Amino acid sequence: MDSEETKKIKTDELTINFLPSVLIEQIFLRLPVSTLLRCIEVCKQWHKIIRDPQFVTAHLEQASPCALLFFPKESVQGELYPSDAIILDETWSQSTLAVPVIGPDDILCGSCNGLICLYTRTSTIKIANLATGECLHLDKPVKNLKGDHFSFYHFGFHPVTKEYKVVHFLGEHKKKSQGTFDVIQVYTLGSDKWKDVRTSEALSLSCVKDSGVVDVDGTMFWLTEDAEASWKHSIISFGLSEETFARIQLPEDALGGYRRYWITEIDGKVCIATAEVYKHQPRMLADKMQIWTLDSKVEPRWSQMYSLRCAYNYYLPRPHFVHWDNIMVQDVFGNLYSYELFGHEAKLSNRVKQLNFSPHKPDNVQAYICVKSLVRLDAYKKVGIVHGSKQRDGWALKKWEAWERQICDAEKSWKDVYKLEQDSLAFPQHLAMLVKRALNCLPDEVIRQRITMEIDQALQHLPDCQDQASKQATDVICSAFSEVRKHLRASMEADDLQRLLIDLLNRLEGLSNSAANNSHDIVAVPEANASHE
């Protein structure tokens, strides 16, 4: 960087720093996280503004939510595929960036405020910031029983206490039985240990595993079975601040038949989706789906948001399958579609295919709401339960995207080379055709035959050596054209000769310009002003 550029940068910095701090902050609030992370290193004033907790909160409140699709590690037809994630923004544009904090064996089990909670195959749970690359590893609770599963861990945030909490449903899951739990283990980010919170009764473990958990306004909600009541299902809530439980009855109109239930969040409210499913495919939609929203937790009071006539053989990505007034569904071929939702009796119309995620299995896809934020994790790394804190790179280009772009670039280069080769062959052939046309005006038969033979011989070797032969052929044909022009001068009237040469040379000039755009190695034809000699 030269001295002039250095002076300019320093001048710009001084100019910006003359602005009031409030105005600078308002400018920063409109910048993406990736830009702000670079601005931190500019000066102490900017570092102070961007790292201020109030600014981090204000920036987070303005962040645009994205849909985070997660594909856990799985084996398909004997081939192992690592965990992967895709981000879709509000325009449904697919991100080409990968998150290095997500390892090939990690499984996502929660997302809030730009932080994600990842279940690892080791003895730790990983908390990471998607955008900054900050990462913490915290020890799993020591009371893990056999059958520990990623779906038994969930991650939440309380907006009043500003505390992040990891919740573990402690129980033993048996494949041939439903399984129950009666203890929830809670870890508050920054504390020294997990805390046991006992439930008032034994609750279904399978409902947690199959239907999911959502965190809404500082409370976690999940479905459970209530065999003693007149209705089969209900919702259990767990307040992250007071750490107490409550039961919420489902709307009676949503019960009955062979149904499947999903819990989700739409527009900051707890919602229940229910639909008839196939007995042998309990995750596959078979008929009309209803979506109910919880208007009040006290009474409780429900209202029906949508009644949808679903296409058969669709799956719902869990737990957040509604984004930006669109519902996401998946088919058995690995296609993800979005449908616009209009009105109460919404029809699934205007289907748009967003992506194909094969070979991943459709019933394993997870969908979460995420944002890119400046929330820091370094404040929590000093406690004993947390270890292995590491700063990783943030968003990076996906390997497969980089490879795909390299392949596309290589293909484009080969196409350009092929076109150049074809043009290098076509140029002397077009040139020869125009010169032969001029030869027809020569009265001397011997000269016509000789020049024609020279041109034909020059064109004979073009297929064998395209590059060099095209240059040689162009030289021969240009030389032949000069000779034709000399003989035409002696045998034609000046006006007729000029009209013929101008017509021919205009055509040749067009060919020459076209060839020159593709390669500077092709020999140029005589200039058009030669017709006036």
Side-chain angles (χ1 to χ4, degrees), residues 311 314 325-327 329 337-341 348-351:
Y314 273 169
D325 294 326
N326 286 258
I327 185 171
V329 294
Y337 298 100
S338 64
Y339 288 91
E340 292 183 87
L341 296 173
L348 294 184
S349 58
N350 300 326
R351 186 180 77 168

Side-chain angles (χ1 to χ4, degrees), residues 262-291:
W262 298 267
I263 190 164
T264 188
E265 173 195 353
I266 302 176
D267 297 332
K269 291 186 176 182
V270 182
C271 294
I272 290 292
T274 177
E276 291 189 25
V277 294
Y278 296 101
K279 289 187 177 181
H280 301 293
Q281 292 285 344
R283 296 183 179 180
M284 185 182 290
L285 303 179
D287 205 346
K288 193 173 183 178
M289 180 172 66
Q290 299 173 347
I291 299 180

Side-chain angles (χ1 to χ4, degrees), residues 119-298:
Y119 175 90
T120 71
R121 301 293 184 184
T122 64
S123 60
T124 62
I125 293 292
K126 184 160 54 175
I127 308 296
N129 185 309
L130 286 170
T132 66
E134 282 187 288
C135 184
L136 295 177
H137 293 261
L138 60 97
D139 292 328
K140 291 179 181 177
V142 295
K143 293 182 181 180
N144 282 344
L145 297 178
K146 184 179 179 180
D148 189 39
H149 195 269
F150 72 88
S151 62
F152 301 159
Y153 292 87
H154 293 276
F155 186 51
F157 172 76
H158 198 282
V160 177
T161 63
K162 308 298 182 184
E163 292 178 328
Y164 293 91
K165 295 191 177 185
V166 182
V167 172
H168 175 235
F169 297 85
L170 179 60
E172 185 173 2
H173 179 70
K174 300 177 181 179
K175 292 183 179 179
K176 295 183 179 180
S177 65
Q178 293 298 316
T180 59
F181 69 94
D182 54 13
V183 172
I184 286 184
Q185 296 178 293
V186 181
Y187 174 74
T188 302
L189 210 59
S191 61
D192 290 317
K193 62 181 181 180
W194 292 80
K195 180 173 67 174
D196 291 353
V197 180
R198 187 162 295 276
T199 64
S200 58
E201 58 183 309
L203 299 173
S204 169
L205 197 60
S206 293
C207 284
V208 172
K209 184 172 184 283
D210 296 334
S211 301
V213 179
V214 295
D215 172 42
V216 179
D217 198 24
T219 302
M220 285 191 176
F221 299 87
W222 66 91
L223 285 163
T224 189
E225 295 181 352
D226 188 358
E228 297 180 358
S230 58
W231 44 83
K232 180 73 172 175
H233 294 82
S234 59
I235 290 178
I236 299 296
S237 67
F238 177 69
L240 294 179
S241 175
E242 62 279 6
E243 297 182 350
T244 56
F245 298 90
R247 181 184 293 275
I248 303 171
Q249 300 171 1
L250 293 186
E252 294 187 23
D253 293 342
L255 302 170
Y258 193 81
R259 291 177 174 272
R260 177 73 188 273
Y261 297 85
W262 298 267
I263 190 164
T264 188
E265 173 195 353
I266 302 176
D267 297 332
K269 291 186 176 182
V270 182
C271 294
I272 290 292
T274 177
E276 291 189 25
V277 294
Y278 296 101
K279 289 187 177 181
H280 301 293
Q281 292 285 344
R283 296 183 179 180
M284 185 182 290
L285 303 179
D287 205 346
K288 193 173 183 178
M289 180 172 66
Q290 299 173 347
I291 299 180
W292 298 77
T293 181
L294 181 62
D295 296 322
S296 172
K297 293 185 292 184
V298 179

